[in-house]
Amino acid sequence: MDLENQNRVKSAAEKYGAENVIVVIGAAESEAAGLAAETVTNGDPTFAGSLAGVPLGLRVYHCVEQEFKDQVDAAVYEEQISMMEMVLNVDEIAKEMKSMRDQFCKFKD
């Protein structure tokens, strides 16, 4: 996750309260999604950004996870995201995201 997005996430958590923020990831690979998820839950593992050493514990989902899909308008999902499901390893991404939530998320839905 780049430094600008880390700043945005940190600012949102401070402004609205971490318990009220959910981060949606759209990375194409499970490793990249997992790194972004770890950054917003446990802090930046590369120690390069504003979330270095800052375990926000935020809820985080990938846009192809069923939990996210269930919350959005089906027509919008079909138009904007469904094509990604054909080229991404959805199961691998979902497994990585669940692992990060299980390990580091402070808030439960």
Side-chain angles (χ1 to χ4, degrees), residues 61-76:
Y61 295 91
H62 194 281
C63 64
V64 297
E65 283 188 280
Q66 192 64 47
E67 294 89 341
F68 174 79
K69 189 175 179 179
D70 289 345
Q71 300 301 313
V72 298
D73 180 276
V76 173

Side-chain angles (χ1 to χ4, degrees), residues 23-38:
V23 177
V24 179
I25 306 288
E29 297 176 350
S30 63
E31 294 85 11
L35 184 59
E38 184 175 359

Side-chain angles (χ1 to χ4, degrees), residues 4-16:
E4 178 94 14
N5 283 334
Q6 286 191 38
N7 289 334
R8 287 181 181 133
V9 169
K10 186 175 182 187
S11 293
E14 290 169 350
K15 182 175 182 179
Y16 301 107

Side-chain angles (χ1 to χ4, degrees), residues 40-88:
V40 301
T41 55
N42 194 44
D44 184 356
T46 67
F47 294 96
S50 61
L51 293 179
V54 181
L56 294 175
L58 301 178
R59 287 172 288 213
V60 60
Y61 295 91
H62 194 281
C63 64
V64 297
E65 283 188 280
Q66 192 64 47
E67 294 89 341
F68 174 79
K69 189 175 179 179
D70 289 345
Q71 300 301 313
V72 298
D73 180 276
V76 173
Y77 188 90
E78 179 66 29
E79 180 182 325
Q80 299 292 324
I81 300 173
S82 66
M83 291 287 287
M84 291 176 63
E85 290 181 332
M86 296 189 315
V87 297
L88 299 181

